[in-house]
Amino acid sequence: SVILANMHNLSGLRQMSYPSQIADNIAQTHHADTWELVTAHIERDDENGYYVLSWLSEGFSFGDEYNGGAIRYFNQDVIMAWVAKQPDKRVPLIRHCLPKSLDVDDGGALTRLFIDIYGDKEDTAHVLISHFWTGGWSGPESAYLMRKRDKARGWVSEIRSDKIKAWLTMYIDYLNKRIVAAEIEEERRF
């Protein structure tokens, strides 16, 4: 409770903030109790609520590395039940915290469930596409985007939900357009 109330005073980088690491450990071991505290903070429209949302979100990742956020420690059904009570208010809060993966082992079960329920809404679908492709990389942007597209194509073969497949099709189409634009820009530089 004390850590969550003071998130605005902590470093935004989880790996450099010992209190954030402690909060991660508490969330892992006491996820039901912690989720109640978390929701109280993120529903407030204040600076600290923003920092709690940042703690829930994926940390800064570079290339293909994964630096999952604290949201992966909580029960996906509990999170989705909470969202369902006030979707107009809570969908925008949670969609920025979702793991950028559909791999079940990387927190993707929550993301899959979220897309299956809310991913057919146009604004949510577009925000999720932006959420998924962002990150840092070195080398050609086109190569970075191609790796993301290959990963998404792999998910298409695993997914049974038509809603998730439809969202993945939109995401892959978006990546294809970005890849072409990146390749043109890269050719101009040479």
Side-chain angles (χ1 to χ4, degrees):
S1 177
V2 171
I3 294 170
L4 291 175
N6 289 286
M7 280 287 184
H8 62 286
N9 292 322
L10 305 177
S11 168
L13 298 175
R14 175 179 279 106
Q15 56 272 33
M16 297 180 74
S17 172
Y18 188 62
S20 293
Q21 293 170 10
I22 292 171
D24 285 354
N25 291 337
I26 293 169
Q28 282 181 291
T29 56
H30 303 288
H31 47 84
D33 295 329
T34 305
W35 182 249
E36 288 182 34
L37 296 171
V38 166
T39 58
H41 285 280
I42 63 177
E43 287 190 301
R44 293 184 195 136
D45 190 18
D46 64 9
E47 180 185 23
N48 196 63
Y50 167 80
Y51 284 101
V52 173
L53 281 169
S54 295
W55 169 70
L56 289 173
S57 303
E58 180 177 314
F60 181 76
S61 60
F62 194 81
D64 298 324
E65 74 181 47
Y66 178 71
N67 189 5
I71 198 159
R72 70 186 189 276
Y73 303 133
F74 301 101
N75 182 297
Q76 67 206 26
D77 296 321
V78 170
I79 294 170
M80 294 307 295
W82 176 78
V83 171
K85 289 179 183 174
Q86 293 180 3
D88 290 343
K89 179 180 179 181
R90 295 174 177 172
V91 165
L93 292 173
I94 293 301
R95 68 183 174 202
H96 294 289
C97 302
L98 293 172
K100 297 178 184 181
S101 175
L102 297 183
D103 293 331
V104 175
D105 295 337
D106 287 337
L110 172 61
T111 308
R112 287 181 184 203
L113 189 56
F114 184 89
I115 293 171
D116 202 31
I117 296 170
Y118 301 106
D120 59 346
K121 293 175 178 42
E122 189 174 345
D123 63 327
T124 296
H126 290 294
V127 168
L128 284 175
I129 287 170
S130 297
H131 178 64
F132 262 68
W133 78 263
T134 58
W137 68 89
S138 62
E141 180 182 6
S142 61
Y144 166 75
L145 295 171
M146 285 179 195
R147 289 191 302 273
K148 289 206 167 277
R149 181 184 62 191
D150 291 345
K151 187 77 168 164
R153 286 176 173 166
W155 291 329
V156 169
S157 64
E158 300 171 8
I159 300 294
R160 298 200 191 321
S161 164
D162 290 336
K163 282 186 177 182
I164 299 173
K165 283 185 179 185
W167 180 83
L168 279 168
T169 299
M170 287 176 54
Y171 178 51
I172 291 168
D173 288 346
Y174 178 77
L175 289 172
N176 284 334
K177 290 174 188 167
R178 296 265 328 200
I179 289 166
V180 169
E183 287 175 333
I184 290 169
E185 183 61 33
E186 290 160 7
E187 287 177 17
R188 286 183 183 159
R189 283 190 223 141
F190 292 111

